[in-house]
Amino acid sequence: MITNFFIPELNNHDVQELWFQQDGATCHTARATIDLLKDTFGDHLISRFGPVNWPPRSCDLTPLDYFLWDYVKSLVYAD
């Protein structure tokens, strides 16, 4: 999917200003995948083994956890 769809679609955009962020799933952080993304995004890759290594479940990565789920629970448990 990355080579057949995603990277060709990026040709329509300025990737020099684009950052790519991915989760830490094992299949997403395989060496071949990370190498391909590093070649495409350079230092603008946020990943488990990328140049910018943010920890999983960081509050910076999941801002919706603090708003969205609280909002959804308030709707579900409303009287």
Side-chain angles (χ1 to χ4, degrees):
M1 183 173 169
I2 291 174
T3 56
N4 295 333
F5 172 75
F6 183 63
I7 293 178
E9 187 64 29
L10 288 176
N11 292 331
N12 300 330
H13 304 282
D14 181 19
V15 295
Q16 295 171 349
E17 298 299 321
L18 186 70
W19 282 80
F20 185 80
Q21 173 184 323
Q22 76 176 153
D23 61 8
T26 335
C27 59
H28 298 165
T29 57
R31 183 177 306 271
T33 304
I34 295 297
D35 289 344
L36 179 63
L37 292 172
K38 281 181 183 176
D39 289 343
T40 305
F41 294 100
D43 290 338
H44 288 194
L45 173 63
I46 303 168
S47 179
R48 186 172 172 195
F49 299 111
V52 178
N53 190 14
W54 281 8
R57 296 181 187 85
S58 167
C59 60
D60 292 333
L61 294 176
T62 56
L64 291 179
D65 285 348
Y66 298 101
F67 167 74
L68 181 64
W69 298 124
D70 187 47
Y71 176 70
V72 170
K73 285 196 299 189
S74 73
L75 295 176
V76 171
Y77 295 109
D79 293 331

